[in-house]
Amino acid sequence: MTGSAMAPTINGGKDGTGGGDVKEQLWIRRLEHVSEESVFNDDVVVVVDPEDDRRKYVRRITAMPGEQMVSKKAEEPPFVIPDNHCWVMCDNLNGKPDSRWFGPLALDKIIGRVLYAARNATDHARVRNSDAAMAIDDAVLAIEEPAIPTA
C-alpha cells in the first residue's frame, strides 16, 4: 500500500507523517459476509471505492448503522448512519477520499480487515483494530504467525 491517507497507522514513516516514499505490505483478513457482527468501530478495513470498483482504499470505521453523525459545519444537518452502512475515515484527516466525500459506505463494499503491516523484515507490527476484532483475529494470527517476517 502506498500513500499517506492512513498515516501514522500505515505508511507513517519514521516521523509518522507519511512523508517520503514509504510503502507497507499489508496482511488482510478477507471477510466473506460483512455485517455488524464481523466489523466494528475502530477497525481498519480495505474498502472498494463506491464510485469506482477498480479502486481500493484502507480506511478506519468510525460509525456503524444507527449512530448519529453531526457535522462541524452548521449548515449540514445531523443524520443517522443507515442500516447495512458504516462511516469510514482516513487516519490522516487531510487524506481522501473517505465518507466525508462519498457518504455512508455500504457494508458489502468492505473486503476485509487489516491485521498486520510491514515495511521490511525488521519494521513490522500488528495493526490496532477494535478490541472485539483483535480478539476474533488472535486465532488467525496464531496460525499465520510463521509467515510473518522476522529479523
Side-chain angles (χ1 to χ4, degrees), residues 84-141:
N84 299 311
H85 286 74
C86 64
W87 193 262
V88 295
M89 301 264 306
C90 301
D91 280 2
N92 174 352
L93 294 181
N94 293 321
K96 60 183 177 183
D98 60 19
S99 287
R100 294 172 291 174
W101 280 264
F102 50 71
L105 181 78
L107 291 177
D108 65 5
K109 293 289 187 182
I110 296 173
I111 296 171
R113 185 170 31 251
V114 179
L115 302 183
Y116 213 85
R119 281 186 209 113
N120 57 52
T122 59
D123 189 4
H124 55 88
R126 188 164 180 188
V127 172
R128 181 77 185 135
N129 287 295
S130 66
D131 289 342
M134 297 288 281
I136 291 167
D137 295 337
D138 278 345
V140 172
L141 285 173

Side-chain angles (χ1 to χ4, degrees), residues 56-78:
K56 315 293 187 280
Y57 304 114
V58 175
R59 300 293 182 257
R60 186 177 301 277
I61 297 175
T62 58
M64 292 294 288
E67 293 186 37
Q68 184 173 14
M69 300 296 293
V70 179
S71 175
K72 291 182 180 180
K73 299 176 183 173
E75 67 275 7
E76 294 180 7

